[in-house]
Amino acid sequence: MSDEKTLFERIIDGEIPGDIVHEDEHCVAFKDINPGAPVHILLVPRKPMPRLQDGTPDDQGLLGHLMLTAPKIAAQHGVGDAFRLVVNNGADAGQSVFHLHLHIIGGRPLKWPPG
Ligand code: 5GP
């Protein structure tokens, strides 16, 4: 893994401004700078795992924590009943920041399948 901090580590560490909406021991959430829906929040583990396949059995609790935290954040932003979680995993899947993150998207009808 590169020694250089990821963009999201720099936001978590306060080196780059971020509109932070949630922080706990394991993860931080902030608004996406280029929202694709009225609610578009990025939920990011503090631990900079690039992609899901870089996780280990030790990360099971962390990954579960993200899944349990996302609906709480969605509810706090008024979309608890209907929201989408997206992980773009790999460049061809649209990943541009190689620090695992869940997109929490909602606030408008969402089509399926995504493009
Ligand atoms: P990915 O394409 O890796 O799944 O998602 C990366 C997301 O990060 C994109 O939705 C993009 O808009 C968002 N993003 C890129 N740079 C910044 C930034 O500096 N601040 C914030 N808050 N979001 C960013």
Side-chain angles (χ1 to χ4, degrees), residues 52-115:
L52 284 168
Q53 58 267 47
D54 300 307
T56 70
D58 284 348
D59 296 315
Q60 191 163 318
L62 172 61
L63 294 172
H65 179 74
L66 295 175
M67 294 301 279
L68 293 171
T69 302
K72 294 180 187 161
I73 295 171
Q76 284 160 3
H77 289 80
V79 297
D81 278 346
F83 60 90
R84 182 173 289 168
L85 294 183
V86 173
V87 176
N88 295 323
N89 192 75
D92 283 352
Q95 185 173 9
S96 59
V97 179
F98 285 79
H99 181 147
L100 180 73
H101 49 284
L102 271 60
H103 294 254
I104 305 170
I105 299 167
R108 65 168 170 78
L110 298 169
K111 295 199 175 106
W112 190 262

Side-chain angles (χ1 to χ4, degrees), residues 7-8 11 16-17 30-34 40 42 88 94-97 101 103:
L7 171 66
F8 291 163
I11 292 175
I16 293 177
F30 44 86
K31 294 188 180 172
D32 196 294
I33 204 168
N34 184 22
H40 188 167
L42 302 172
N88 295 323
Q95 185 173 9
S96 59
V97 179
H101 49 284
H103 294 254

Side-chain angles (χ1 to χ4, degrees), residues 1 3-4 6 8-9 37 49 69 87 89 91 102:
M1 207 181 293
D3 287 342
E4 231 171 80
T6 67
F8 291 163
E9 280 177 286
M49 181 192 306
T69 302
V87 176
N89 192 75
L102 271 60

